[in-house]
Amino acid sequence: MAPLIVRTISRYLLRQHVAPLGFALAALTSLMLIQQVAKQLSGLLGKGLPAGVIAEVFLLSLPFIVAVTLPMAVLVAVLHVFTRLAGDNEITALQAGGVSVTRLVAPVLAGATGVALLSFLWNDQLLPRTNHELRTLQVDIARKKPSLTLKEQVINEVVPGQTFLRASRIDGNTNKLKDVTLYDLSDAERRRIITADSGRMAYSAGGRDLFLTLTDGDIEEVNRTDPTQFNRTFFRTNRMRVSGVGNIFTQTEHDTYKSDREMSTCEMRQAASAARRDASRAAGDARLVIDNDLRRLVGLATVVAPPMPYEPDTAPPGLYCRALRRFATWLLPPEAEAQTPRAAAPPPLYVTPGAGIGEEQRVRDARTRAATYEVEIQKKYAIAAACLVFALVGIPVALRFQRGGVGLVIGMSVGVFTVYYVGLIAGEELGDRLLVSPFLAMWTPNLIFATAGLIGLWRSRKPGNAPHGGDWSDIVEMVARVMRWPGSLLWPRWRSAP
C-alpha cells in the first residue's frame, strides 16, 4: 500500500508543476519575443520586405528565446508550487503522515532532470539549425537595400553596367548625400554626367526604384556619335528616378559556413579537434624554425620538415555522438549515405626554412579557436543543467519563505536569472580569452547555485526545520546578514517565526 501512496504523491506533485511551467514558459517567451519585435520591426519594415520574411525572422528567433526561458520557467514553477503547498499546510500534513522532505523533492528533481534532457536536445539539435537559417536570412536582408552598401569616395555600381554613383559623404540613416556625381550610361547614343552639391535618396514602395533629389548642380551630356555636340545644363533642384536598382530580396538557398553557435556538439568536437591539430602542427613548425636558426649559427645544414600525415577529421569517441550517428544511419538509406561527398585529403604540408614567422600567433589562434568551440559545448550542457540547478535552488527558498507570495516568485526569479546569466556571459568571455578552462567558465554559476541549493535542502530535511511561515522580513534580514558577512549565505542563522 505504501508504494501506491508514494506513486500517488509523486504524480500529484508533478501534475501541480505542469500548468505553472507552461504558463511561465509562454509568458517569459512572449515577453522576450515582444522585446525582439520592438527592437527590429521598424528596421525590417523600412526595407520593404514581404510579410512572410518578417514573420520568418521572428519565428526563427523563438528557439533561442525558449533555450533561455526554459530554465527560468522551471524556477518560477518550483517557487510557485512549493510556496503554495507550504502556505496551504499540505507539506506539513504530508510530513505528519510520515512523508519526508527528501521524498517530496525526489519526483520534482526527477522531472527537472527530464526537462534538462529535453533542453539539451533542443539546444543541440534544433537551435543550431535555426541559428544558421536566421543568420543567413539576416545577411540576405542586409544586402537588400543599396544605401546600406554604398561606400564613400568610391564609384558605386547602382545599376549594373548602366548607372554609377559617387559621393564624398553618405549618411545611411537619413539617406543624405554630399558632393554627388552620377554617371548615366543607360542611353547607347549619349553619356550623361550629373554633379550636385548635395542630394537625398528615397525608394519606391516596391523597393525596385531609387529616387534622387539633387540640389545645386549641372548635367553634362555628350553625343557618342558626334563628340562635337556637348550640352551643359545647370539646375537648382533635379529630381530623377533610377529604375531597377537591384533592391530585390533574394534568399540564399545553401550556405555552408557555420559559426560555433550554428553547430551541434559533435560538429564542434570535430572543429575543436581540428583546431588542436593545427596548434600542434604550428608548435612543431615553430620548434623546427628555432632548430634551423641554431644550426645556421653553428654552420650546420638546415633541416626540412617531412610531410605531415593526413588525419581524417572524424568525430571523437563519445556515447552521445555514437548514438546520434547510429540513429542517423537508421534514418538515411544506404544509397544516400554512399552518395554523400567526402572531403579529400589535403596535400602534405612542408615547412621550409624561414617559414616560422608568426608561428606563435598561429599556435595562439588555433588554441583560441579550439577554446571557443569547447566553451560553446560546455555552455550547451550548462544551460540544460540549469533546469535541475534552479529546481534545487527554488525548493528550499519556497519552503523557507512560504508567505512571500507572488512577490517572492518574481523577485527571487529576477535575482537568480540576473546573477546566473551575467556569470554565464562573463565566463564565456574569460573562456574565449583562454583565461580559465571552458568547464569552469560555463559551470561556475551552476556549481555555486547547486551548492547553495543542496545546503538549503539539507537544512530543510533536518528535524525542526519544517516550513514555518517565513516572509519578506526574513528575506531582508538574510540579505543584510549576507552583506555584513558573505559566509552567512552558506551557514545562515535565520530567525524563526513564533
Side-chain angles (χ1 to χ4, degrees):
M1 193 66 179
L4 180 60
I5 296 176
V6 168
R7 287 197 298 269
T8 302
I9 294 173
S10 299
R11 286 196 297 268
Y12 172 73
L13 289 172
L14 291 176
R15 280 200 304 268
Q16 293 297 308
H17 283 79
V18 172
L21 178 64
F23 177 78
L25 181 62
L28 292 169
T29 303
S30 300
L31 287 174
M32 294 190 68
L33 182 60
I34 290 172
Q35 182 184 10
Q36 289 289 323
V37 171
K39 185 189 302 183
Q40 301 183 25
L41 187 60
S42 59
L44 294 174
L45 291 177
K47 290 178 175 290
L49 295 168
V53 173
I54 297 176
E56 186 178 359
V57 171
F58 297 120
L59 184 63
L60 292 175
S61 301
L62 274 176
F64 168 74
I65 296 175
V66 171
V68 175
T69 56
L70 186 55
M72 299 182 184
V74 171
L75 177 58
V76 172
V78 168
L79 286 171
H80 172 76
V81 171
F82 274 88
T83 302
R84 184 182 60 78
L85 292 177
D88 293 345
N89 294 320
E90 291 188 48
I91 292 181
T92 303
L94 289 171
Q95 287 181 321
V99 181
S100 65
V101 173
T102 303
R103 187 63 197 84
L104 290 173
V105 168
V108 178
L109 294 183
T113 302
V115 175
L117 293 175
L118 292 176
S119 174
F120 174 74
L121 293 176
W122 178 281
N123 297 343
D124 187 53
Q125 296 301 315
L126 179 64
L127 183 58
R129 291 173 170 82
T130 56
N131 281 346
H132 179 67
E133 293 181 11
L134 179 60
R135 196 263 308 165
T136 304
L137 184 60
Q138 289 174 335
V139 170
D140 294 336
I141 291 172
R143 292 172 179 168
K144 184 177 185 293
K145 196 170 183 178
S147 63
L148 299 180
T149 58
L150 295 179
K151 297 180 180 179
E152 298 177 348
Q153 303 289 349
V154 173
I155 298 178
N156 299 276
E157 188 176 27
V158 179
V159 179
Q162 297 183 12
T163 307
F164 301 84
L165 185 144
R166 179 190 179 277
S168 60
R169 295 290 301 276
I170 301 174
D171 189 342
N173 295 324
T174 62
N175 287 339
K176 289 183 178 180
L177 308 173
K178 186 69 176 176
D179 190 13
V180 186
T181 304
L182 189 70
Y183 303 91
D184 184 4
L185 310 180
S186 57
D187 194 334
E189 295 185 357
R190 63 175 184 173
R191 295 291 183 262
R192 293 197 309 165
I193 300 177
I194 305 171
T195 59
D197 177 71
S198 60
R200 182 187 292 271
M201 296 185 297
Y203 297 91
S204 62
R208 294 294 305 274
D209 298 336
L210 171 66
F211 292 92
L212 290 171
T213 302
L214 306 177
T215 57
D216 297 330
D218 62 81
I219 303 173
E220 298 177 356
E221 294 184 355
V222 178
N223 194 321
R224 294 189 62 188
T225 59
D226 187 2
T228 60
Q229 293 184 10
F230 175 80
N231 295 326
R232 187 178 186 183
T233 306
F234 295 90
F235 61 85
R236 284 293 183 88
T237 302
N238 182 20
R239 294 182 177 86
M240 55 185 303
R241 183 178 71 176
V242 182
S243 302
V245 295
N247 190 18
I248 304 172
F249 176 74
T250 304
Q251 195 162 354
T252 304
E253 295 295 335
H254 300 287
D255 185 359
T256 57
Y257 169 76
K258 287 184 177 182
S259 66
D260 55 342
R261 297 189 178 183
E262 301 167 24
M263 296 182 181
S264 65
T265 298
C266 299
E267 290 173 332
M268 284 190 290
R269 284 182 177 174
Q270 289 180 327
S273 298
R276 285 192 290 268
R277 287 197 297 269
D278 291 344
S280 299
R281 291 174 181 174
D285 295 347
R287 288 192 297 269
L288 181 63
V289 170
I290 294 173
D291 269 353
N292 282 338
D293 289 342
L294 294 175
R295 294 174 70 88
R296 280 195 294 269
L297 286 175
V298 298
L300 298 177
T302 58
V303 178
V304 178
M308 299 286 293
Y310 171 67
E311 300 178 13
D313 189 14
T314 58
L319 179 62
Y320 173 68
C321 292
R322 286 199 300 268
L324 282 182
R325 184 175 296 180
R326 181 172 299 178
F327 184 69
T329 56
W330 289 342
L331 291 180
L332 293 176
E335 295 80 5
E337 185 178 359
Q339 293 175 2
T340 303
R342 300 183 181 274
L349 180 63
Y350 292 87
V351 178
T352 58
I357 300 176
E359 296 300 331
E360 292 184 3
Q361 186 62 37
R362 279 180 55 199
V363 173
R364 181 169 181 82
D365 290 344
R367 288 176 178 171
T368 301
R369 195 166 67 251
T372 300
Y373 291 121
E374 290 168 354
V375 167
E376 190 67 23
I377 291 172
Q378 295 299 329
K379 185 167 72 172
K380 288 181 183 293
Y381 289 114
I383 291 180
C387 297
L388 177 59
V389 172
F390 285 177
L392 281 173
V393 173
I395 292 172
V397 171
L399 292 177
R400 179 61 186 84
F401 304 107
Q402 59 182 263
R403 292 189 302 182
V406 178
L408 172 68
V409 175
I410 296 176
M412 185 68 185
S413 300
V414 171
V416 171
F417 302 157
T418 302
V419 173
Y420 182 84
Y421 285 111
V422 168
L424 208 64
I425 294 170
E428 184 175 8
E429 184 70 18
L430 294 175
D432 289 342
R433 293 185 179 184
L434 304 177
L435 297 178
V436 297
S437 68
F439 178 84
L440 286 180
M442 292 291 97
W443 283 88
T444 298
N446 279 356
L447 295 176
I448 293 174
F449 280 110
T451 302
L454 289 173
I455 292 174
L457 286 177
W458 178 76
R459 289 180 59 86
S460 298
R461 65 183 292 273
K462 292 176 62 179
N465 281 303
H468 45 74
D471 56 13
W472 278 100
S473 62
D474 292 321
I475 299 177
V476 173
E477 181 180 343
M478 182 189 70
V479 172
R481 183 176 290 112
V482 170
M483 293 178 66
R484 290 195 301 269
W485 180 51
S488 63
L489 180 64
L490 298 181
W491 295 280
R493 297 178 180 178
W494 295 337
R495 174 178 58 84
S496 298

